[in-house]
Amino acid sequence: MGHDHGHGHGHGHGAATDGRRLTVALVITAVVLVSGAIGAWVTGSLSLLADLGHQVTDVAALVTAVVAARLAQRPPSARRTFGLGRSEVLGAAVNALALLAVTVWVAVEAVERLLADTPPEVPGFALLIFGAIGLVGNLVSLAVLSGGSGSLNVRGAALHVLGDALGSVAVMVAAAVLLLTGWPYADVVASLVIVAILVPRTVALLSTTAHVLLEGTPPGMDVEEVRAALLAVPGVREVHDLHVWVISDRTPAASAHLVVEDGTTPQCEGTGHSSVLDRAAAALREEFGLDHSTLQIETPEHADHEEHCPPPPVRVAVNDPVTPRQT
């Protein structure tokens, strides 16, 4: 006897809202990308080039995120019974990998320039102007994304935009140093600062997406506490085959077999086990936010083998014998 308790009505709405915000951020980032490309070509700045590389991956990341958010709105089907909510997690993983690749490339290029006898000359004033343009655009995009649901998809896109914002700040600092001191390595050092800030955040996002894709336990949730909550339900003696995982970062789920007190066979109607299931599902939902749970009832003597229900009683209609009428 098993019951499935699922509530997924909020996911589609959250994905739709995220899709709109991601689209706005995409348009803004595309404009910043064009500005950055012009700036990198005019100045020859490595920090602007690093920022441009991030902007290119940002546009790709936001396109991926928008598509993933659209896919997540599709309802479940016979082929994909959980829907396509996990596409957002895949999008976040792809974006993090792309950002990590660009960051490594910028680090290598920066080291080569540091080792060069004469680093390229970079005009400080032009660098400052293009850095400021990029910073304004990135801050607007971050403001748009900050109102989203906080899903991995949005977080991955926001991480890209944050990288651009930090890059723009580093570009402006490098420009100020160049204008005030003329130190030729300011631009290269700024690009390395961008790398140092982004790498830990990118690795953390990759770790989170891998955890979801490997169906790990929801962050902050203790499986033993879930087991204890189920054991505290009146009528439950044992809990086994307990699994708690994340379908997507917005949809935690659980399944378990509950061994109940001795009594009638759990498969039969009218045994009262439905109340145990309801209480157990309510405990998971109220204490842990596990709206999607699949629970199966077993009794101790029937936990390891199948038991058949007794046949329902057969009602036999008995007619009074017809007494001949006396004449």
Side-chain angles (χ1 to χ4, degrees):
M1 180 178 185
H3 283 189
D4 181 84
H5 303 264
H7 303 273
H9 55 276
H11 176 78
H13 175 72
T17 302
D18 288 348
R20 289 190 292 269
R21 293 182 179 275
L22 288 165
T23 301
V24 173
L26 172 60
V27 173
I28 296 171
T29 304
V31 174
V32 174
L33 171 64
V34 174
S35 170
I38 295 172
W41 178 69
V42 170
T43 64
S45 163
L46 179 60
S47 58
L48 264 183
L49 189 61
D51 206 25
L52 177 63
H54 289 157
Q55 289 166 11
V56 170
T57 59
D58 281 352
V59 171
L62 286 167
V63 169
T64 302
V66 169
V67 172
R70 301 298 183 193
L71 289 175
Q73 297 176 52
R74 295 187 178 182
S77 63
R79 186 176 181 186
R80 296 181 177 88
T81 55
F82 281 117
L84 293 171
R86 190 164 282 185
S87 60
E88 293 186 292
V89 183
L90 289 171
V94 170
N95 292 340
L97 286 171
L99 183 58
L100 187 62
V102 171
T103 303
V104 170
W105 173 78
V106 169
V108 172
E109 182 69 19
V111 170
E112 289 181 353
R113 290 197 180 189
L114 282 175
L115 297 177
D117 295 333
T118 55
E121 292 185 5
V122 178
F125 184 73
L127 194 61
L128 182 64
I129 296 299
F130 286 110
I133 294 173
L135 179 60
V136 171
N138 292 323
L139 290 178
V140 173
S141 294
L142 277 175
V144 170
L145 294 175
S146 64
S149 66
S151 69
L152 281 176
N153 192 36
V154 174
R155 285 168 54 193
L159 181 59
H160 277 267
V161 178
L162 175 63
D164 276 347
L166 294 173
S168 297
V169 171
V171 166
M172 294 176 67
V173 170
V177 171
L178 280 171
L179 289 172
L180 295 174
T181 68
W183 189 45
Y185 292 100
D187 179 62
V188 178
V189 172
S191 65
L192 289 175
V193 170
I194 298 172
V195 169
I197 293 173
L198 286 179
V199 167
R201 295 173 180 270
T202 306
V203 172
L205 180 62
L206 275 175
S207 175
T208 303
T209 54
H211 186 76
V212 174
L213 293 174
L214 293 173
E215 298 185 343
T217 305
M221 189 174 296
D222 188 337
V223 176
E224 291 308 313
E225 291 182 1
V226 176
R227 187 186 304 276
L230 290 173
L231 287 171
V233 173
V236 176
R237 290 182 52 179
E238 299 176 29
V239 177
H240 59 88
D241 291 334
L242 173 61
H243 301 282
V244 185
W245 72 100
V246 275
I247 300 169
S248 72
D249 62 304
R250 301 187 231 217
T251 313
S255 66
H257 288 191
L258 308 179
V259 180
V260 300
E261 301 290 347
D262 292 341
T264 53
T265 309
Q267 290 93 334
C268 304
E269 297 295 332
T271 61
H273 288 143
S274 60
S275 62
V276 175
L277 284 171
D278 291 339
R279 288 194 294 266
L284 295 179
R285 182 172 57 254
E286 295 168 5
E287 297 184 34
F288 304 99
L290 290 165
D291 293 335
H292 188 101
S293 60
T294 303
L295 304 173
Q296 179 173 326
I297 289 290
E298 297 175 350
T299 54
E301 69 272 20
H302 302 119
D304 297 323
H305 64 277
E306 182 180 1
E307 178 72 15
H308 297 286
C309 296
V314 178
R315 294 184 178 181
V316 179
V318 179
N319 295 323
D320 291 333
V322 177
T323 303
R325 180 185 299 175
Q326 300 291 330
T327 60

